[in-house]
């Protein structure tokens, strides 16, 4: 049998809001992927964009490129829900509007679906164009750590957390989500809930530029952390063993406790200060912790002057992540939700 005839049909879904700077390059990249053109569909949903995004998408004359417009703005999750009835693929691939794939990424992703137990696949993100600023370097280290964990989790069952820029799933497993739900967290959890695995494919490469400004990175991390906390709340039966005790342990340790690290950091700082006179070890820990926080703070100051302080970059990013998690936790307690999103700036 012809190998091409065995390839499943694929629909690449791209949600975009005011992405005229990136959308043309992204569509061109998808059209150049090493995959049968007659089995590849590209759907771009613009979320009531007000710039030239729609015109750029319409400038592509290929029959397999489709533009949908969502009016009024309703967010990324609603945009993906809107695209599903128009998708003719057996496999859905989710791409950001600025995601550039390696030419063979799609073949590596699709190959995983030959295993009937696999329902969702996530690729590997690589941040490009490092400029030496704290957030850029911190992002790179963070993603290396995440990808390492995903490789281990695939070996024991399913991945906890995926990358929304290069994900894929069986179309018949897709479930419409509410506008406030984070699609690249809740959708994989719903796949697991249906009895399928979520796996990591390191050969499916996505390239994106890292955020270089702390303010942009912080806002993004608060938004993602808040939506993740609500996702954990919505899917809380999985925290208590609905998909097995091993997966519950992964969900607690990899996700929920990560967002609560700020509580342990604060507790350590307070208790070590109160125990200062009791033993030398408390003095050492308190001074070390305080010095780390100071290093992260000074790294933020030097970022504004473009000075290169590589040794402080990881402290800076660690503090940024946990401060954003604390901010998100406060919003979660107050019942606030996040629906809209803005383009991710490199």
């Amino acid at each position: 049998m012809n190998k091409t005839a065995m390839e499943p049909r694929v629909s690449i879904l791209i949600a975009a809001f005011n992405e005229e700077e990136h959308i043309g390059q992204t569509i061109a990249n998808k059209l150049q992927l090493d995959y049968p053109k007659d089995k590849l569909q590209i759907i771009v949903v613009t979320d009531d964009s007000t710039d030239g995004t729609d015109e750029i998408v319409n400038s592509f004359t290929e029959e397999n490129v489709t533009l949908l417009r969502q009016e009024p703005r309703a967010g990324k999750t609603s945009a993906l829900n809107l695209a599903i009835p128009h998708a003719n693929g057996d496999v859905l691939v989710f791409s950001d509007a600025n995601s550039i794939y390696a030419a063979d990424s799609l073949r590596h992703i699709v190959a995983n679906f030959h295993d009937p137990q696999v329902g969702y696949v996530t690729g590997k993100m690589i941040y490009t164009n490092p400029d030496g600023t704290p957030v850029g370097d911190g992002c790179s280290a963070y993603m290396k750590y995440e990808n390492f964990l995903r490789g281990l989790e695939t070996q024991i069952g399913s991945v906890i957390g995926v990358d929304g820029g290069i994900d894929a799933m069986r179309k018949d497993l897709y479930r419409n989500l509410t506008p406030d739900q984070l699609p690249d967290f809740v959708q994989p959890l719903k796949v697991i809930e249906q009895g399928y695995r979520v796996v990591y494919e390191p050969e499916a490469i996505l390239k994106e530029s890292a955020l270089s400004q702390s303010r942009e990175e912080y806002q993004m991390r608060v938004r993602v952390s808040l939506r993740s906390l609500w996702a954990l709340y919505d899917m809380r039966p999985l925290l208590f063993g609905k998909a097995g005790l091993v997966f519950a342990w992964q969900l607690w340790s990899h996700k929920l406790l990560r967002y609560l690290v700020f509580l342990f950091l604060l507790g350590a700082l307070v208790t070590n200060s109160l125990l200062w006179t009791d033993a030398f070890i408390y003095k050492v820990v308190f001074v070390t912790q305080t010095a780390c926080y100071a290093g992260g703070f000074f790294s933020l100051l030097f970022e504004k002057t473009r000075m290169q302080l590589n040794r402080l970059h990881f402290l800076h990013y660690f503090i940024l992540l946990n401060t954003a998690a604390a901010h998100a936790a406060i919003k979660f307690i107050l019942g606030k939700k996040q629906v809209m999103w803005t383009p991710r700036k490199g």
Side-chain angles (χ1 to χ4, degrees), residues 39-146:
K39 293 196 171 186
L40 181 63
Q41 177 190 33
I42 301 169
I43 300 177
V44 180
V45 185
T46 64
D47 192 16
D48 200 9
S49 293
T50 57
D51 63 354
T53 300
D54 293 29
E55 289 74 15
I56 293 173
V57 177
N58 279 326
S59 70
F60 287 86
T61 58
E62 289 81 355
E63 293 183 359
N64 59 343
V65 177
T66 301
L67 171 67
L68 301 176
R69 183 172 175 83
Q70 178 172 252
E71 293 181 323
R73 279 196 73 193
K76 179 178 181 179
T77 307
S78 295
L80 294 178
N81 289 340
L82 177 64
I84 298 305
H86 302 270
N88 60 26
D90 306 299
V91 173
L92 305 175
V93 175
F94 306 107
S95 169
D96 288 335
N98 64 336
S99 297
I100 302 300
Y101 290 5
D104 59 354
S105 290
L106 204 51
R107 287 194 180 276
H108 285 298
I109 287 177
V110 169
N112 288 272
F113 292 108
H114 293 313
D115 182 345
Q117 291 302 310
V118 172
Y120 200 108
V121 182
T122 186
K124 179 180 181 180
M125 174 186 280
I126 296 177
Y127 284 112
T128 57
N129 303 319
D131 59 3
T133 59
V135 175
D137 286 354
C139 279
S140 297
Y142 177 75
M143 286 312 304
K144 289 178 182 177
Y145 168 70
E146 272 292 303

